[in-house]
Amino acid sequence: TQVSGRVGRGNAPGQVFIQTRTPEHPAIQAAATGDFWRFANLELANRRMLGYPPYRHLLKLTTSHDNQADAIRTSQTVYDTLKQNRQIRVLGPAPAFHERAGGRYHWQIVVKAARRSVLVEIARSVAPTWKTDLDPLNVL
């Protein structure tokens, strides 16, 4: 919506093209018609159902190793420990968006919780070799 608002200023008319594989998706329909409130209400309902902010807090844990097997093993060990905690939901382990960067393998785990304090405890309890990102801007 913000980008389309920059099209057609002045005397020259403009057009906006949305490229998508799912033109029937409600978010695309709302964007195409500029209906912010429809989009926001749909997105908030999905976030509530799936347990994402603003209804839950997130913690992203990332580990980095010289070889893939160590990254996987370390991630699985932490996952196995975390999944026993009934106050959280654990996603992963999975390769990070850039699995291999800087000659190292990066794997991550995303943890959801209703209470931020639970995530703070987890962040403090993992080994210092783990990168912790509380309330991450993205989970990539």
Side-chain angles (χ1 to χ4, degrees):
T1 299
Q2 183 178 10
V3 172
S4 67
R6 307 217 182 290
V7 175
R9 290 189 173 183
N11 295 331
Q15 287 184 310
V16 174
F17 294 91
I18 300 173
Q19 183 176 352
T20 179
R21 290 185 180 189
T22 56
E24 69 286 346
H25 191 281
I28 299 298
Q29 291 292 315
T33 60
D35 190 342
F36 169 79
W37 290 110
R38 180 173 167 220
F39 170 79
N41 289 330
L42 290 167
E43 183 64 19
L44 287 170
N46 284 332
R47 287 173 167 267
R48 180 183 298 241
M49 179 181 65
L50 297 171
Y52 282 100
Y55 305 102
R56 292 284 184 271
H57 299 280
L58 300 180
L59 171 65
K60 181 170 70 169
L61 303 171
T62 307
T63 188
S64 175
H65 292 272
D66 291 330
N67 66 68
Q68 187 180 41
D70 287 344
I72 294 169
R73 186 179 64 254
T74 301
S75 297
Q76 190 63 50
T77 300
V78 169
Y79 170 82
D80 290 342
T81 300
L82 291 173
K83 74 177 182 179
Q84 297 174 30
N85 185 336
R86 299 177 85 73
Q87 298 179 75
I88 62 174
R89 175 137 190 257
V90 186
L91 305 176
F97 184 72
H98 295 290
E99 179 183 6
R100 182 140 191 206
R104 296 177 64 85
Y105 290 88
H106 308 276
W107 275 63
Q108 69 183 33
I109 297 169
V110 175
V111 186
K112 301 177 187 182
R115 292 189 357 246
R116 193 171 187 269
S117 60
V118 172
L119 299 178
V120 169
E121 288 177 32
I122 292 169
R124 288 182 177 155
S125 71
V126 295
T129 55
W130 281 84
K131 178 184 173 194
T132 60
D133 190 356
L134 188 59
D135 299 325
L137 294 178
N138 69 62
V139 291
L140 297 180

